[in-house]
Amino acid sequence: MNADSFVLIATLVKSRAGIVLTPDKDYMLETRLAPILRSEGLPSLDALALKLRDTRSEILARAVTEALTVNESSFFRDGKPFDHLKRLMPKLQAARPAGQKLRIWSAACSTGQEAYSCAMVLRELGIRDAEIYGTDLSREVVERAREGLFTQFEVQRGLPVQMLVKYFKQEGGKWRASPELRAMTRFEERNLLADHRVLGRFDVIFCRNVLIYFDPPTKERVLNALAGLLAPDGALYLGGAETVLGLTSRLAPIPGERSAYGLASSLAMAG
Ligand SMILES: C[S@@+](CC[C@H](N)C(=O)[O-])C[C@H]1O[C@@H](n2cnc3c(N)ncnc32)[C@H](O)[C@@H]1O
């Protein structure tokens, strides 16, 4: 691929998804975009770049962007945020008026393991007045999350066997999330770069393992937007390699908790 083609594809993906592709990622472009070259009958990435430039096809631009997202996820990934969630949710429930639903947002939810893990935590706590909203840029993963159907390999990653038998049913060699879990969850396409104010306030936001793909100004913009939606006593969970430090002063680490952040103003008042 020539340098101009790389710049064209990298600029497209950065503007559509915030994802930064560095030139050392050209091997990744070749493997990830190979299926698109085949389906479009194109001989090379240079030809794909030309087509993107000349046709400005929304469908093709979307397919290229989605192909370059990393959709890796697993149940109860990294453990700690879910341990914190278990302790936090009863406190939040006690602090809310009776009947008010607790709201969790799994932003960049990929195939839904994070959202379903939250649903299991809530079920185990006996909390039913809750809704879990899972969103992702990629249409394909959102559809998979909605189906709630996981392979044997996927359920073996992080899902304790007692939770598997309690909350999933075998279906044609795969495992389907139970109707109770699915009733608590809702999945939609949503770009993290969009204006999220229409979504209202969330008690808990998971935004994990996606900011690592963004540059600092984009991380800052997304974190400030999430801070604007977080309840004063709520929590934002980031991935293990992500932080708010040096990016926004609106959020601060929750003392003693790994990967958990709260509104800096509330944490300062709590002392
Ligand atoms: C590595 S997965 C993380 C999944 C889950 N949060 C976890 O930690 O297991 C990253 C996800 O971010 C999504 N993503 C990338 N850029 C995005 C954007 N601008 N808006 C929304 N989702 C995005 C990708 O489609 C992908 O599914």
Side-chain angles (χ1 to χ4, degrees), residues 17 70-73 77 108 114 136-137 191-192 208-209:
V70 175
N71 308 122
E72 171 80 11
S73 193
R77 185 172 187 176
E114 191 169 80
D136 199 281
L137 171 91
N191 193 331
L192 268 173
R208 301 191 308 153
N209 305 303

